Amino acid sequence: MGKDYYSILGVSRTATEEELKKAYKKGALKWHPDRNQNNKEAAEEKFKELAEAFEVLNDPQKRTVYDQFGEEGLKGGMGGGGGPGGASGFPGGSFNFRPGRAEDVFAQFFGGMGGMGGMGGRGGGGGFSMFFDDDMMGGMGGGMGGMGGRKRPRQAAPTVKHFGCTLEELASGTTKRMKISKNVRDASGSSRQEDKVIEINVQAGWKAGTKITFPEEGDVVPGEKPADIVFVLDEKPHPRFKREDSNLIYEVQISLTQALCGCDINVLTLDGRTINVRMRDIIKPGSTKWVSGEGMPDRKTGRKGNLLVKFDVRFPTSLSDEQKRQIAQALGS
């Protein structure tokens, strides 16, 4: 049976990005091998498991595959595609947590220092206060200073890029091919530009703000670890729909006659079908008709949200005396 990454981090299956980070930081400090000299072998294994679990669950693409197929599916290539694998063999193929990656993940949080003792130059224990609540720091005392002082190459801040998707693409899933360019400088000071095409396997149900990280794909500078490149998903405006979580909003204007007498509204869906919304009751201004299962898919469950048809009733700007008389006669006083 595969690893339960959620249990390893001690979080629920609905854990947010911030909850994942908090759980990893707490566990990584507790189980860092330099703080467990008397039980180093077990600590190293736990330390690696924490980093592997965080790297999978903090990446929406890997997390989606893991939630659907488990560790075996993730490492067996169920992610689909055949694009470049990056530092950890993903996206586009199977995920492999390579040796040494645990220290790389740790260094992302603690300034590029593999051993805790190496952080003494940051001002002692106060350097950690930005990452932890007081209760998480309690009890650690001077143990941090006793940890090893291995220095690791500094990593530049991530490079953030944006890419856009239509609602149609987010409803069904798609593959985006992005060209990235980086400067590669050698020890002599000369540099060259390298271009690379990477693939982003957009999963059905992804939302605006979803982040995909390609480790160490940034500029190469001697003595420094290349920066990660982070792609952020932007949702393109749609001519017919607005999105609210997994629901789709469709706004339609109708006449007062239609509001009082009933009407049929045809809605063209994202996948090209036409849904007939039949209204036979009186439609009040601002009322909403729910159509179940015709919204956006949920990334985790695959179930679709709802289509919400919102009615804007247009009132006439003027009426003749005869029209007023007829309305009064039909509706009563």
Side-chain angles (χ1 to χ4, degrees):
M1 187 174 180
K3 296 177 182 176
D4 186 339
Y5 291 137
Y6 293 98
S7 294
I8 290 172
L9 286 175
V11 297
S12 69
R13 299 188 71 85
T14 59
T16 64
E17 181 179 350
E18 287 305 311
E19 290 171 335
L20 291 172
K21 288 180 178 178
K22 186 174 181 179
Y24 170 76
K25 291 170 188 173
K26 184 176 181 179
L29 276 179
K30 178 181 179 181
W31 290 102
H32 195 287
D34 288 345
R35 293 194 71 237
N36 295 269
Q37 295 294 332
N38 296 330
N39 193 25
K40 195 167 185 176
E41 186 174 337
E44 285 179 350
E45 185 62 29
K46 183 67 175 178
F47 185 69
K48 291 176 183 177
E49 285 187 343
L50 286 163
E52 180 178 341
F54 176 78
E55 187 161 73
V56 170
L57 299 183
N58 195 51
D59 185 301
Q61 209 163 3
K62 297 186 186 79
R63 186 172 179 174
T64 297
V65 175
Y66 173 74
D67 286 344
Q68 293 179 346
F69 304 107
E71 182 195 9
E72 294 88 349
L74 184 71
K75 295 183 176 180
M78 296 299 289
S88 54
F90 212 89
S94 61
F95 168 72
N96 296 298
F97 192 76
R98 62 175 173 76
R101 182 62 183 158
E103 287 284 3
D104 292 341
V105 175
F106 184 84
Q108 293 175 10
F109 289 96
F110 300 107
M113 310 301 289
M116 303 290 278
M119 296 188 70
R122 298 170 68 99
F128 291 90
S129 61
M130 70 179 73
F131 297 124
F132 295 94
D133 298 331
D134 291 340
D135 60 329
M136 294 172 67
M137 293 298 295
M140 291 186 178
M144 293 181 180
M147 298 172 69
R150 300 190 308 273
K151 288 190 175 182
R152 300 182 64 83
R154 184 182 70 87
Q155 184 176 30
T159 300
V160 179
K161 299 178 180 289
H162 291 257
F163 71 103
C165 288
T166 64
L167 281 181
E168 285 84 357
E169 291 172 327
L170 295 175
S172 60
T174 187
T175 298
K176 292 285 187 177
R177 292 173 174 82
M178 316 293 293
K179 180 180 178 181
I180 57 175
S181 300
K182 61 182 176 182
N183 293 319
V184 179
R185 186 168 31 159
D186 58 28
S188 68
S190 61
S191 62
R192 68 183 186 278
Q193 179 174 299
E194 290 185 358
D195 297 330
K196 183 178 184 178
V197 176
I198 59 178
E199 288 187 352
I200 300 176
N201 294 319
V202 179
Q203 303 293 320
W206 277 8
K207 299 177 182 179
T210 298
K211 296 178 181 179
I212 307 299
T213 300
F214 290 83
E216 301 178 29
E217 289 289 357
D219 293 343
V220 177
V221 178
E224 293 186 6
K225 184 189 296 184
D228 296 341
I229 294 183
V230 180
F231 283 90
V232 181
L233 188 153
D234 293 332
E235 190 175 282
K236 295 181 179 179
H238 198 274
R240 299 192 306 279
F241 299 107
K242 294 179 182 179
R243 182 180 183 180
E244 290 184 359
D245 293 325
S246 295
N247 294 329
L248 289 175
I249 312 299
Y250 182 80
E251 297 179 348
V252 60
Q253 284 190 340
I254 60 173
S255 67
L256 181 58
T257 302
Q258 290 174 307
L260 295 174
C261 301
C263 59
D264 287 280
I265 304 297
N266 291 322
V267 182
L268 181 62
T269 64
L270 294 174
D271 57 4
R273 295 174 294 113
T274 298
I275 297 176
N276 179 260
V277 180
R278 176 165 292 187
M279 303 295 293
R280 290 297 176 260
D281 296 327
I282 293 176
I283 304 171
K284 297 179 181 179
S287 61
T288 301
K289 173 69 173 180
W290 289 61
V291 182
S292 179
E294 292 293 347
M296 296 291 289
D298 182 273
R299 181 187 68 82
K300 295 180 180 179
T301 66
R303 292 193 295 269
K304 285 189 174 183
N306 302 311
L307 171 65
L308 281 61
V309 181
K310 293 189 174 182
F311 294 94
D312 178 18
V313 180
R314 299 193 311 271
F315 282 75
T317 57
S318 63
L319 292 172
S320 66
D321 290 340
E322 178 60 23
Q323 288 173 323
K324 292 178 182 178
R325 186 190 66 78
Q326 292 177 353
I327 292 174
Q329 183 179 359
L331 299 180
S333 56

